[in-house]
């Protein structure tokens, strides 16, 4: 009886975005600047909303949670990517790889649900303005935010478990800058049919639920806005929703492209992944703060407080 010898892969090599040393230095500087701006921008949004009592409303509470999610989402992938740009050894252990995969889908899934929640918040604010404070009270807002995190956690568990059960016998080179389902499935020496079906079904269900939630909310919102008689009123209502709708497109577009298909790797996958894991978390605070006069005024007040404290200390 023949005995089959299999060498189990205990670590992977992340090939990253380029094997060119000069390009890696350029990418390192670029990604470092983007990451520092992302952390600073999102942290400033969270701090401003927390400190300024004028922003203690459901809309800005949800915005602060979105900024925290963006900061976390970027932190899951960027620091290790930066280290790999400067390191000769670009390895990641199997356990660390699965852990990174879990948190990418945990925070990414939570953000999908949270963007849907923000669409519902805009629906209540525009379609039921007189009942807004009653419907979106503090307790309801907290429960809704917790539910988005629980939804992301459930999504990540359903994504990670099939991947963790796969066998990897070699090769161990992942043509990506972080661990993701398509590249991992292609390296597996076991049958990936179940994991691929689970991947598409899970991601498909998440995308469908979130898309329907956003679509239905905005269908009611648009119908309500069109009934507003004054042009100024319609402009303000559209302006309130425009920022959120742009963020939804920037986040959901790449996700649908990457995960609503079988494990086939395209040349543009890494570029699209860079956009939604690194660039989008930077754009979100910019989009909201540049379009929100209240946030800009709050940031000026926060800056004034810091200057005042600094003067008194001196």
């Amino acid at each position: 009886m023949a005995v089959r010898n299999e060498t189990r892969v205990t670590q992977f090599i992340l090939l990253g975005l380029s094997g060119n040393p000069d390009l890696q230095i350029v990418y390192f500087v670029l990604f470092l600047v983007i990451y520092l701006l992302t952390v600073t921008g999102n942290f400033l949004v969270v701090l401003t909303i927390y400190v300024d009592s004028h922003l203690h409303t459901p809309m800005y509470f949800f915005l602060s949670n979105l900024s925290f999610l963006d900061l976390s989402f970027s932190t899951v992938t960027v620091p290790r990517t930066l280290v790999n740009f400067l390191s000769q050894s670009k390895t990641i252990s199997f356990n660390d790889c699965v852990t990174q995969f879990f948190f990418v889908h945990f925070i990414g899934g939570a953000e999908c649900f949270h963007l849907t929640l923000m669409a519902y918040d805009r629906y209540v604010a525009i379609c039921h303005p007189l009942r807004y404070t009653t419907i979106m009270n503090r307790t309801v807002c907290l429960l809704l935010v917790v539910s988005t995190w629980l939804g992301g956690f459930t999504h990540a568990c359903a994504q990670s478990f099939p991947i963790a059960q796969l066998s990897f016998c070699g090769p161990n080179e992942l043509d990506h800058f972080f661990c993701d389902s398509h590249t991992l499935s292609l390296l597996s020496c076991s049958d990936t049919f179940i994991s691929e079906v689970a991947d598409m079904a899970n991601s498909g269900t998440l995308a469908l639920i979130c898309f329907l939630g956003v679509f239905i909310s905005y269908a009611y919102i648009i119908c309500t806005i069109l009934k507003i008689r004054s042009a100024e009123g319609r402009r303000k209502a559209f302006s309130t929703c425009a920022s959120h709708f742009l963020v939804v497109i920037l986040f959901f577009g790449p996700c649908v492209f990457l995960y609503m298909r079988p494990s086939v790797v395209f040349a543009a996958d890494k570029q699209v992944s860079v956009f939604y894991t690194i660039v989008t978390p930077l754009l979100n605070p910019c989009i909201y703060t540049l379009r929100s006069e209240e946030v800009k005024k709050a940031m000026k007040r926060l800056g004034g407080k810091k200057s005042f404290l600094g003067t008194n200390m001196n």
Side-chain angles (χ1 to χ4, degrees):
M1 183 176 178
V3 178
R4 183 183 176 188
N5 293 322
E6 286 189 356
T7 303
R8 182 175 175 81
V9 171
T10 58
Q11 61 182 17
F12 297 101
I13 299 173
L14 292 169
L15 297 182
L17 297 173
S18 173
N20 187 319
D22 294 331
L23 273 179
Q24 288 183 17
I25 296 298
V26 173
Y27 285 142
F28 173 82
V29 174
L30 180 61
F31 279 35
L32 179 61
V33 170
I34 292 175
Y35 181 64
L36 292 176
L37 290 175
T38 299
V39 172
T40 303
N42 284 289
F43 178 76
L44 187 59
V45 170
V46 173
L47 179 64
T48 302
I49 293 172
Y50 177 78
V51 171
D52 199 299
S53 59
H54 297 87
L55 301 180
H56 291 178
T57 63
M59 181 177 73
Y60 292 110
F61 172 65
F62 295 144
L63 175 57
S64 66
N65 190 61
L66 177 66
S67 290
F68 181 75
L69 284 167
D70 281 330
L71 192 157
S72 303
F73 194 43
S74 184
T75 300
V76 172
T77 57
V78 177
R80 179 174 283 276
T81 303
L82 291 174
V83 171
N84 286 344
F85 281 140
L86 301 181
S87 174
Q88 293 295 326
S89 175
K90 305 179 189 301
T91 59
I92 181 172
S93 70
F94 176 80
N95 290 335
D96 287 349
C97 190
V98 174
T99 301
Q100 185 186 54
F101 175 80
F102 173 84
F103 278 101
V104 165
H105 285 275
F106 175 26
I107 300 172
E111 184 154 347
C112 285
F113 286 120
H114 193 73
L115 289 172
T116 308
L117 168 59
M118 292 178 73
Y120 173 72
D121 173 66
R122 293 300 82 208
Y123 156 74
V124 177
I126 293 173
C127 299
H128 303 283
L130 299 179
R131 298 170 55 204
Y132 179 69
T133 54
T134 304
I135 296 173
M136 303 301 288
N137 58 61
R138 181 185 294 270
T139 303
V140 170
C141 290
L142 285 173
L143 288 174
L144 288 173
V145 168
V146 170
S147 69
T148 63
W149 283 89
L150 289 175
F153 180 79
T154 304
H155 166 70
C157 289
Q159 288 286 100
S160 302
F161 182 77
I163 290 293
Q165 302 307 306
L166 296 178
S167 298
F168 296 91
C169 315
N172 66 337
E173 293 184 340
L174 286 172
D175 189 17
H176 216 309
F177 62 95
F178 69 93
C179 294
D180 208 0
S181 55
H182 291 339
T183 48
L184 284 169
S185 295
L186 291 175
L187 291 183
S188 176
C189 56
S190 56
D191 186 5
T192 60
F193 177 77
I194 294 178
S195 65
E196 289 184 28
V197 170
D199 186 17
M200 289 187 63
N202 188 20
S203 298
T205 301
L206 174 64
L208 181 62
I209 291 173
C210 294
F211 174 77
L212 287 176
V214 172
F215 178 80
I216 293 171
S217 297
Y218 274 99
Y220 279 105
I221 288 171
I222 292 171
C223 290
T224 302
I225 290 176
L226 293 176
K227 294 177 183 177
I228 298 175
R229 293 183 178 181
S230 69
E232 180 65 17
R234 289 195 298 271
R235 187 192 67 79
K236 287 184 178 180
F238 272 120
S239 178
T240 302
C241 300
S243 300
H244 175 258
F245 193 68
L246 179 58
V247 169
V248 167
I249 294 173
L250 291 175
F251 188 82
F252 276 91
C255 289
V256 170
F257 173 79
L258 290 170
Y259 299 111
M260 293 293 291
R261 57 180 168 85
S263 295
V264 179
V265 176
F266 295 140
D269 282 1
K270 285 192 282 188
Q271 287 74 21
V272 174
S273 295
V274 166
F275 186 81
Y276 97 96
T277 60
I278 299 174
V279 178
T280 300
L282 170 65
L283 293 178
N284 286 353
C286 297
I287 291 170
Y288 278 108
T289 54
L290 290 176
R291 295 186 63 87
S292 175
E293 290 297 327
E294 290 186 36
V295 175
K296 286 191 284 188
K297 289 178 182 177
M299 286 184 173
K300 289 179 181 178
R301 289 194 292 268
L302 181 63
K305 289 179 182 178
K306 288 182 177 180
S307 299
F308 177 74
L309 290 173
T311 302
N312 285 347
M313 290 176 70
N314 293 329

